[in-house]
Amino acid sequence: MQHRMQPGPLLDSTGRLIDPGYSTAEVRQYDRAMIRASGWRIKEWDYYCIQTDAHALALTVADNGYLGFLGLSWIDLEQGTAINHGAVRPFPFGRMRLPASADSGSIDQRQGEVRIAFEQRPGERRLTFSAPGFDRGRGLSGEVVLRQPDDDRMVIATPFPDAPRAFYYNQKLNCLPAAGTVTLGDQQIVFDPASAFAVLDWGRGVWTYDNTWFWASASGLHQGRRFGFNIGCGFGDTSAASENMLFVDGRAHKLDQVTWHLPEGPLDAAPWHFTSSDRRLVMRFDPIVDRHDTVDLGLFRTSQHQVFGHFSGKATCDDGTVLEFAGLTGFAERVHNRW
């Protein structure tokens, strides 16, 4: 079953999801004041990943209740390297004031020497960042502007079966053309919107303490048309809907469940395989580099494996059109959190 959400508030007066399911637009309104759970359990973040076939830039601003985080990662797909850098803010408990909507509001956060800002403008998103201490003082900074066409997106509201006031409200905006310049030490890398595309992962929710998720995403071109996908699983009750979608020229094509076949051993040592239950997506992922990061602060522990590489396979649109693709750059990840 794939239940489509209808417009309205996200939570009722008891802090429970009113209408679990999916949509292709932000139809449910998130209001932090309606949450009826401890501030220690509220998790909010905006995450952008901008990619070409040669490089990827990841930017994170997160308010996870008792721990805030500003993160920057640079992935060199030609060299097979990944560098992470970040700054921690203790006990923000909502004071980072992340917007209640993915379509309005801006973020400007500084912690120590790290600054990340996400500004919303009509039809575009402006990302600016600076981290002089990145890569042992090499430094990373830049400005990237993402064009935001009037596209469908993946929106899902997921409950947790054993925690009635826990939920995850998530939006993924794929295939955003990116233009800008990144300065890495004395090197400048230019993002061209003809070949650079971004995804936004916008998440708000009340999470259980121990969970694991799987997420894969790609944004690029297929025969000159913007093409990408979002697939994921691993946490919560997805009986109302999955988060699995194809995107072609800004229109979403809903998929049912997707089975992940991960390699034994290191996640970047062998191909991954994916098959949807409706057989509309059959796909292989060939890894290049694992952006691995583990943070262990006692109560808070996260182990992240975000593996970048190339996807190939067949995808079937709602009208039966079959798209065969190969060499589509993206990532697949497994993340285990105790938070």
Side-chain angles (χ1 to χ4, degrees), residues 4-337:
R4 192 166 189 132
M5 291 185 290
Q6 300 304 308
L10 183 70
L11 304 177
D12 66 16
S13 60
T14 70
R16 304 185 186 208
L17 283 177
I18 294 173
D19 190 20
Y22 86 96
S23 181
T24 57
E26 186 184 290
V27 296
R28 289 279 167 177
Q29 288 76 55
Y30 171 79
D31 182 353
R32 186 184 174 101
M34 295 298 292
I35 292 176
R36 301 293 181 261
S38 166
W40 292 72
R41 303 260 50 87
I42 301 174
K43 317 297 177 187
E44 302 177 328
W45 64 78
D46 284 35
Y47 167 89
Y48 288 92
C49 185
I50 306 100
Q51 269 193 249
T52 69
D53 289 340
H55 304 101
L57 168 70
L59 302 170
T60 304
V61 176
D63 183 334
N64 291 323
Y66 51 87
L67 192 71
F69 181 68
L70 306 182
L72 307 94
S73 299
W74 181 254
I75 300 92
D76 189 320
L77 296 170
E78 295 177 328
Q79 299 295 322
T81 59
I83 303 169
N84 299 312
H85 186 80
V88 171
R89 174 174 301 174
F91 309 115
F93 288 115
R95 287 190 293 272
M96 294 174 72
R97 300 191 181 281
L98 272 62
S101 169
D103 293 326
S104 63
S106 295
I107 295 170
D108 192 341
Q109 293 291 322
R110 186 186 300 271
Q111 185 69 24
E113 50 88 32
V114 175
R115 179 186 177 230
I116 300 177
F118 303 148
E119 180 186 358
Q120 298 235 24
R121 298 173 174 178
E124 66 179 31
R125 297 166 184 266
R126 178 174 173 263
L127 318 179
T128 54
F129 51 94
S130 177
F134 186 89
D135 194 19
R136 301 180 182 181
R138 190 180 179 192
L140 180 72
S141 62
E143 177 177 308
V144 180
V145 175
L146 310 181
R147 183 167 58 87
Q148 185 174 334
D150 185 20
D151 287 354
D152 291 342
R153 67 185 68 173
M154 193 292 299
V155 184
I156 192 166
T158 303
F160 288 77
D162 299 322
R165 291 179 176 84
F167 67 91
Y168 182 42
Y169 189 42
N170 182 220
Q171 302 185 49
K172 303 277 179 45
L173 282 68
N174 282 67
C175 303
L176 305 175
T181 302
V182 175
T183 300
L184 176 61
D186 58 4
Q187 180 184 11
Q188 286 198 330
I189 301 95
V190 176
F191 285 135
D192 183 335
S195 58
F197 298 91
V199 60
L200 166 62
D201 173 17
W202 184 95
R204 305 290 187 268
V206 172
W207 282 76
T208 54
Y209 176 63
D210 193 330
N211 44 71
T212 299
W213 74 61
F214 299 86
W215 176 35
S217 177
S219 296
L221 295 175
H222 180 273
Q223 298 179 356
R225 306 164 72 190
R226 285 185 300 130
F227 169 69
F229 62 82
N230 182 86
I231 60 174
C233 64
F235 64 89
D237 178 2
T238 58
S239 59
S242 75
E243 64 176 86
N244 304 318
M245 284 187 186
L246 306 172
F247 301 97
V248 183
D249 274 345
R251 301 283 72 86
H253 303 259
K254 188 71 180 72
L255 303 174
D256 201 342
Q257 303 297 324
V258 174
T259 300
W260 293 52
H261 307 277
L262 275 65
E264 296 182 4
L267 294 177
D268 58 349
W272 305 28
H273 294 273
F274 308 86
T275 307
S276 67
S277 57
D278 50 18
R279 303 298 296 180
R280 289 178 53 193
L281 180 66
V282 178
M283 186 166 64
R284 169 183 169 134
F285 175 64
D286 291 292
I288 296 175
V289 58
D290 182 2
R291 186 186 73 82
H292 173 54
D293 195 22
T294 296
V295 177
D296 193 343
L297 300 174
L299 280 177
F300 178 94
R301 185 180 190 278
T302 180
S303 178
Q304 304 176 9
H305 289 271
Q306 186 180 34
V307 184
F308 288 79
H310 295 139
F311 292 90
S312 58
K314 292 183 179 182
T316 303
C317 299
D318 288 344
D319 64 2
T321 301
V322 177
L323 305 179
E324 296 191 28
F325 57 94
L328 181 65
T329 304
F331 58 82
E333 70 177 33
R334 182 184 68 193
V335 175
H336 177 213
N337 288 324

